[in-house]
Amino acid sequence: MPARRPVGRAGAARGAPAGRRDRGQVAVEFVGMVPLILLLVAAVWECVLIGYAFSLAGNAADEAARVGAVHGGGACDAAARRHIGTAWNVSVSCGESGDVYKVTVELGVPVFFPGLDIGTPITGVGGSPKEEED
């Protein structure tokens, strides 16, 4: 009869107990994946924040245009800033264009939180027909 090989799971080191050969492998793989997971979370957060900035700029421009169509330029600027908040770097441009009151709101593209931006603007444009104040 030929000599028999030791029976064990595939890939087990000769002489090592079957349960101890992979000890710590999961921890090593997890530590290797942590930077990729954190990078993915940061990228998703940045995309959400940029999308929110687009929404915020558009809404502020629309609201400011409605106010500006009735009350004029000073109220327009204040309305836009009221709808955005103080944490954002904002620029507001209000003016008439024929029978339409137009507003352009620019926010800086945020990096991880509002107020820290890279200098590239996100623009929201709104317009409203001019009205007479009662």
Side-chain angles (χ1 to χ4, degrees):
M1 249 182 151
R4 292 179 53 141
R5 292 181 139 174
V7 178
R9 293 193 292 188
R14 204 175 278 249
R20 301 192 69 146
R21 62 184 161 67
D22 288 343
R23 191 170 197 163
Q25 182 65 31
V26 172
V28 170
E29 289 175 2
F30 178 73
V31 168
M33 290 299 292
V34 166
L36 291 174
I37 292 169
L38 292 176
L39 185 63
L40 181 64
V41 168
V44 168
W45 173 250
E46 187 64 25
C47 289
V48 167
L49 198 55
I50 290 171
Y52 178 63
F54 271 106
S55 176
L56 196 62
N59 181 55
D62 288 339
E63 293 293 330
R66 286 186 198 109
V67 170
V70 175
H71 301 291
C76 166
D77 188 79
R81 293 180 189 282
R82 182 176 60 246
H83 282 84
I84 291 177
T86 58
W88 296 84
N89 296 329
V90 62
S91 167
V92 180
S93 171
C94 302
E96 297 179 8
S97 177
D99 290 340
V100 178
Y101 197 85
K102 288 192 171 185
V103 178
T104 302
V105 175
E106 290 185 350
L107 299 176
V109 174
V111 179
F112 295 119
F113 60 89
L116 177 65
D117 63 62
I118 59 175
T120 304
I122 290 176
T123 304
V125 179
S128 182
K130 291 192 294 186
E131 299 178 16
E132 295 298 320
E133 190 172 357
D134 291 335

